[in-house]
């Protein structure tokens, strides 16, 4: 059975993502250094946070990472055993620093986040953490201060919506060509506008026309 478009056309390189240039350029520099430091990706659901984090992992440390779903695995004991011990047992291998990725980190309690503070500093030479939050208010300040924070929501002051829409239109036009889907640019623009800013849903709407 063929993979759904959301998987089939999941970007694998940072320059394939429809991100604001202010985010894309900085991430490209971090990847070039092969050391991201601790990162927080925040913003609305569906805007590429998780896919970007997974792409970074595959580019830098495909076999030296731990991935956690914070909405399910969020107890203090689990975070202590997986994240804290995972940082403490990390070794600097051929791929570089281990990356611990906590998706849907909104689900972590304040106590669970507090557990990460000290090891994030003491083990930063061996391990980086990437955390994705839909709700920025759920991030405690001590964690935020230890991370580079990227807000994935388009900034209206810099006309980022139009910037991203142009990138999405180009990406979706290429998908339609590969899949021989007859959707005009106006129709694709309508899909983008009607589902703003949930890229997963946009891709699913295009797949319905296949």
């Amino acid at each position: 059975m063929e993979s759904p478009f959301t998987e089939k056309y999941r970007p694998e390189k940072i320059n394939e993502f429809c991100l604001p240039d202010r985010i894309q350029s900085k991430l490209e520099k971090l990847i070039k250094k092969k050391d991201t430091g601790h990162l927080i990706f925040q913003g609305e659901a569906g805007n590429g946070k998780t896919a970007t984090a997974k792409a970074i992992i595959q580019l830098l440390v495909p076999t030296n990472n731990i991935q956690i779903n914070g909405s399910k695995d969020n107890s203090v004991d689990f975070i202590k055993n997986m994240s804290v011990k995972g940082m403490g047992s990390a070794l600097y291998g051929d791929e570089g620093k281990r990356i611990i990725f906590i998706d849907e980190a909104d689900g972590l309690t304040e106590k669970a986040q507090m557990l990460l503070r000290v090891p994030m500093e003491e083990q930063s030479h061996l391990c980086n953490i990437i955390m994705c939050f839909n709700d920025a208010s759920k991030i405690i300040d001590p964690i935020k201060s230890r991370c580079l924070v990227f807000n994935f929501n388009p900034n209206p002051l810099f006309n980022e919506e139009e910037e991203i829409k142009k990138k999405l239109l180009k990406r979706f036009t290429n998908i339609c060509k590969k899949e021989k889907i007859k959707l005009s640019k106006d129709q694709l623009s309508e899909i983008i506008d009607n589902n703003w800013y949930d890229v997963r849903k946009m891709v699913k709407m295009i797949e319905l026309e296949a």
Side-chain angles (χ1 to χ4, degrees), residues 7 9 36 55 64 69 102 115 127 156-157 164-165 184 209:
E7 293 302 321
Y9 292 104
T36 64
N64 189 20
N69 186 323
I102 305 178
L115 280 174
C127 186
L157 295 177
I164 294 169
K165 285 179 180 179
S184 67
E209 303 297 326

Side-chain angles (χ1 to χ4, degrees), residues 74-93:
N74 52 19
S75 70
V76 170
D77 287 341
F78 184 89
I79 295 301
K80 185 182 294 184
N81 289 330
M82 286 298 293
S83 297
V84 177
K85 287 185 179 179
M87 282 185 272
S89 64
L91 296 174
Y92 195 96

